[in-house]
Amino acid sequence: CGLCLHPHGVLPPDADAVRVKINTVQVMQGLEPGFLGLAPAKGVYLVTSVVDGISEQPVTFNGQVHERVKNGDVLPIGTEGGRDQPLNVYLKEGGLPSILGMSVVVFRSNENLRQFGGLIAEVTADKRYEQLTSIIATAAKAAVPAYGIIFQAANEIIGLVGSLLK
């Protein structure tokens, strides 16, 4: 099934897959020319990260670059700009995770936008990223997983993405 949760956020006992998708993202504010004394925005980065505690790489990234976005716009997150297509950020079939955390953030950019692949390569090459993913992997494999530490480290990774974008 997709992420078909029962009440209380528990997967059905017969579930054999988890899929997390984003259907719609609307930019509400922050793209005004001269917002907070900044140069006009040239676009936005939509960045997602997912922590599942079981993958070889404990944090996976997905994202897109969008130019010519204005306040109130709905990002064209589907394939080829189709708004009826979701952005799939996670799919796991078999061996379902005991923890699943997702972060979604939209970063405004006043600079020429970079391709998303290059940004993620820069993040994963950073020493801070290596340290944080090591913390996540260790905390997830503990006899009693340290969920608070896992999610704090995952949030720090999103902060690292933001610091690299400046």
Side-chain angles (χ1 to χ4, degrees):
C1 77
L3 188 60
C4 48
L5 296 177
H6 284 262
H8 312 295
V10 178
L11 284 173
D14 60 342
D16 60 2
V18 175
R19 174 179 156 208
V20 178
K21 62 182 181 164
I22 298 175
N23 294 323
T24 306
V25 173
Q26 183 175 18
V27 177
M28 301 303 293
Q29 62 183 3
L31 298 179
E32 300 90 350
F35 179 73
L36 295 178
L38 300 171
K42 294 193 176 181
V44 298
Y45 294 93
L46 169 63
V47 181
T48 68
S49 72
V50 178
V51 175
D52 70 3
I54 61 173
S55 296
E56 195 172 295
Q57 187 61 259
V59 180
T60 57
F61 288 102
N62 200 332
Q64 298 177 340
V65 176
H66 299 279
E67 298 180 287
R68 296 178 293 282
V69 177
K70 300 183 301 295
N71 287 335
D73 284 357
V74 174
L75 298 182
I77 61 175
T79 56
E80 298 180 14
R83 290 198 173 124
D84 57 345
Q85 299 292 322
L87 172 64
N88 290 311
V89 295
Y90 181 82
L91 174 62
K92 180 69 177 165
E93 298 175 308
L96 300 184
S98 60
I99 112 174
L100 188 61
M102 184 175 98
S103 298
V104 179
V105 67
V106 176
F107 290 104
R108 160 198 168 109
S109 179
N110 303 334
E111 307 286 330
N112 290 328
L113 276 68
R114 299 186 273 166
Q115 290 301 314
F116 189 75
L119 170 63
I120 294 310
E122 192 175 343
V123 170
T124 56
D126 192 286
K127 289 179 188 173
R128 294 170 289 179
Y129 175 81
E130 290 178 26
Q131 292 169 340
L132 290 166
T133 56
S134 176
I135 290 168
I136 290 168
T138 301
K141 292 175 186 165
V144 178
Y147 298 125
I149 291 172
I150 293 168
F151 294 124
Q152 182 180 357
N155 285 337
E156 291 293 326
I157 290 173
I158 288 292
L160 173 61
V161 173
S163 72
L164 292 173
L165 287 172
K166 294 184 178 71

